[in-house]
Amino acid sequence: MAQGAEDRVDVLIGGGGVAGLALAVALRQGLGPSFSVTVADPALDRMPADPRASAIVAAARRLLATLGVWDAIAAQAQPILDMVVTDSRLTDAVRPVFLTFGGEVEPDEPFAHMVENGPLQAALIAKARELGVELVAAGVADFDHPSPARAQPAATTTADLQVALTGRSPIAARLLVAADGARSRIRERAGIATRGWAYGQSAIVTTVAHERDHGGRAQEHFLPAGPFAILPLKGRRSSIVWTEHDREAARLLALPEREFHAELERRFGLHLGEIADVGPRGAYPIGLWVARAFVAERIALIGDAAHVIHPIAGQGLNLGLKDVAALAETIVDAARLGLDPGSAAVLERYQRWRRFDTMAMGGATDALNRLFSNRSDILRLVRDVGLGLVDRLPPLKQLFIREAAGLVGDVPRLLKGEAL
Ligand SMILES: Cc1cc2nc3c(=O)[nH]c(=O)nc-3n(C[C@H](O)[C@H](O)[C@H](O)COP(=O)(O)OP(=O)(O)OC[C@H]3O[C@@H](n4cnc5c(N)ncnc54)[C@H](O)[C@@H]3O)c2cc1C
């Protein structure tokens, strides 16, 4: 890229998914209108039809509340009041319950809420506009002189990045944030490799309506091909995340309506009465990938651009929102001291904060998937004894709940509900 840019911004965020938009809002809220933030995403001029819903844990909900977007989605958010885990074969008549979670981290604060991705993204876009974030419907195509996979020594001052956008004039940025998802072009162009593997599994996602109330209960049935999760949505509806081996997932997805419904019903059961498929179906390949570095010269990675994990514990987006909270706090603290938000010292602080936690969560979801997605009777006995033990030890269970809610460890301020 040779051409010089006329526009200059403090932070350019490539990717307007939940992670990119939340970061834009956090930065403008913390630093005000004199700190310029632009979000570039080719999908910004059309509303995405994402069939997914996400379990937003307590810490992530506190972040959204502090950013002023929770109120806009609260009426559509379904608290998860309890959760049951079963471990059985598809043909078993009864699915014994091995683990139950009563879900509050503090009085009146459920450990998670189910929120549909579409309305959450719409609320973030509205808040970003209100705060004066510039939203550009264009993709990041290229940029100049990144140093592969590592930041410069702290004392080095480097020039702005010149960033080329598709169909627009280039922009100069002090910091470019890669929030462009699992197949991040920015990460690739920065020369940052990923480590990990595909599981050979895909998650089928759809929404069902049912006759009876779910009572806020989430259910995760560990079937031999992988977890089948029934996650409560507002009203008599549930979001389904149904894991199968890739080939079987493709076959199921292509089935005519009636046959797909019959397969769904076999797994769902009739405990909530008759069910009807109401949402579009989608399938997502599942893998574990973590970027070898979260920063390069004037570049930071957040969200799925930095890591993709198995949806078994519903933690992918929550992990991305932890990146948002840590990067926003690092930049806001630095900018208030008059420091360059894209300097190596700032980026190194962010990387140190997030890499270990990400590796730990990636490892935990990988272990869970290996333990559960198999047909071995011995492993089944081991995990059922383990789950039964956890179920009978309240302090351990409470620790798991607080960990799953994102409230353990060196928690950034936004995740504690404190403004920057
Ligand atoms: C089946 C399933 C269920 C899940 N359930 C949960 C759950 O319950 N809880 C949870 O926490 N997580 C869950 N996750 C994970 C969660 O969905 C992802 O972690 C999250 O959506 C990632 O958000 P993101 O903003 O990082 O990336 P994305 O949502 O992928 O957004 C990336 C954006 O970048 C844009 N883009 C792409 N290329 C460019 C470019 N060159 N320039 C500019 N923009 C670009 C795209 O248009 C897109 O808008 C689940 C995932 C799956 C597959």
Side-chain angles (χ1 to χ4, degrees):
M1 219 197 98
Q3 230 180 349
E6 279 173 24
D7 286 341
R8 178 173 195 256
V9 293
D10 291 307
V11 176
L12 173 61
I13 300 170
V18 172
L21 290 165
L23 179 68
V25 170
L27 290 176
R28 285 292 283 205
Q29 208 178 56
L31 294 167
S34 62
F35 192 86
S36 50
V37 180
T38 294
V39 177
D41 186 327
L44 274 173
D45 57 359
R46 51 191 141 91
M47 274 316 274
D50 190 335
R52 285 175 297 178
S54 301
I56 298 287
V57 299
R61 191 203 61 78
R62 289 181 190 182
L63 171 141
L64 294 171
T66 312
L67 297 186
V69 292
W70 184 253
D71 280 353
I73 49 167
Q76 302 162 66
Q78 169 64 48
I80 298 183
L81 299 177
D82 78 347
M83 186 168 170
V84 299
V85 177
T86 72
D87 184 10
S88 55
R89 287 169 288 240
L90 192 51
T91 47
D92 290 351
V94 177
R95 291 176 178 168
V97 171
F98 285 98
L99 190 61
T100 56
F101 279 115
E104 282 187 347
V105 285
E106 301 285 343
D108 293 332
E109 186 175 18
F111 92 96
H113 284 80
M114 284 305 297
V115 176
E116 287 162 271
N117 287 15
L120 174 57
Q121 206 172 349
L124 281 163
I125 288 177
K127 180 54 80 177
R129 282 213 174 97
E130 183 190 315
L131 291 173
V133 172
E134 198 183 342
L135 300 173
V136 178
V140 171
D142 207 352
F143 47 85
D144 62 4
H145 70 61
S147 305
R150 85 193 148 78
Q152 292 292 301
T156 314
T157 308
T158 56
D160 293 347
L161 274 189
Q162 306 290 320
V163 183
L165 301 178
T166 48
R168 302 263 312 202
S169 45
I171 297 184
R174 297 166 86 194
L175 174 67
L176 171 63
V177 177
D180 52 344
R183 271 171 282 184
S184 169
R185 182 181 176 84
I186 302 173
R187 181 188 67 218
E188 188 195 302
R189 289 287 302 124
I192 300 176
T194 56
R195 245 188 316 194
W197 46 81
Y199 288 113
Q201 293 169 309
S202 295
I204 301 171
V205 177
T206 190
T207 306
V208 298
H210 31 76
E211 277 180 320
R212 285 201 281 279
D213 231 17
H214 45 52
R217 165 168 289 186
Q219 303 182 42
E220 187 134 23
H221 300 297
F222 286 110
L223 300 172
F228 180 88
I230 304 173
L231 304 159
L233 297 177
K234 231 7 189 214
R236 290 183 176 162
R237 296 180 310 136
S238 293
S239 170
I240 305 298
V241 181
W242 168 5
T243 313
E244 292 285 349
H245 297 297
D246 286 334
R247 267 237 201 105
E248 179 62 0
R251 184 189 75 79
L252 289 164
L253 209 64
L255 285 177
E257 204 59 52
R258 269 183 54 185
E259 288 167 50
F260 181 79
H261 184 86
E263 291 284 357
L264 183 63
E265 204 174 70
R266 254 178 99 202
R267 291 158 179 85
F268 194 102
L270 290 170
H271 60 289
L272 294 176
E274 290 292 328
I275 59 169
D277 327 357
V278 292
R281 307 173 202 167
Y284 298 81
I286 297 174
L288 169 70
W289 289 282
V290 181
R292 281 182 181 270
F294 282 16
V295 299
E297 187 184 332
R298 293 204 174 275
I299 291 173
L301 273 49
I302 63 169
D304 277 16
H307 42 69
V308 176
I309 62 170
H310 198 294
I312 196 163
Q315 290 285 355
L317 180 58
N318 291 298
L319 211 50
L321 290 174
K322 282 189 183 179
D323 301 340
V324 168
L327 184 58
E329 186 168 327
T330 309
I331 293 174
V332 168
D333 286 354
R336 284 193 184 136
L337 295 172
L339 300 174
D340 176 352
S343 67
V346 170
L347 297 182
E348 275 302 328
R349 181 178 170 216
Y350 164 65
Q351 169 157 269
R352 269 199 312 277
W353 204 345
R354 291 302 307 139
R355 266 195 55 93
F356 177 75
D357 181 54
T358 304
M359 301 303 283
M361 181 60 80
T365 53
D366 185 55
L368 267 179
N369 187 49
R370 282 172 199 280
L371 187 61
F372 282 100
S373 298
N374 61 69
R375 291 168 203 280
S376 156
D377 283 339
I378 294 174
L379 276 181
R380 188 157 168 229
L381 185 70
V382 169
R383 68 199 179 216
D384 293 348
V385 168
L387 286 183
L389 274 178
V390 172
D391 204 37
R392 285 190 291 277
L393 287 173
L396 190 58
K397 223 159 108 169
Q398 194 55 30
L399 179 67
F400 277 179
I401 291 172
R402 289 191 70 79
E403 177 78 50
L407 297 169
V408 174
D410 186 4
V411 180
R413 296 206 291 274
L414 281 170
L415 296 175
K416 293 190 231 168
E418 296 165 18
L420 291 179

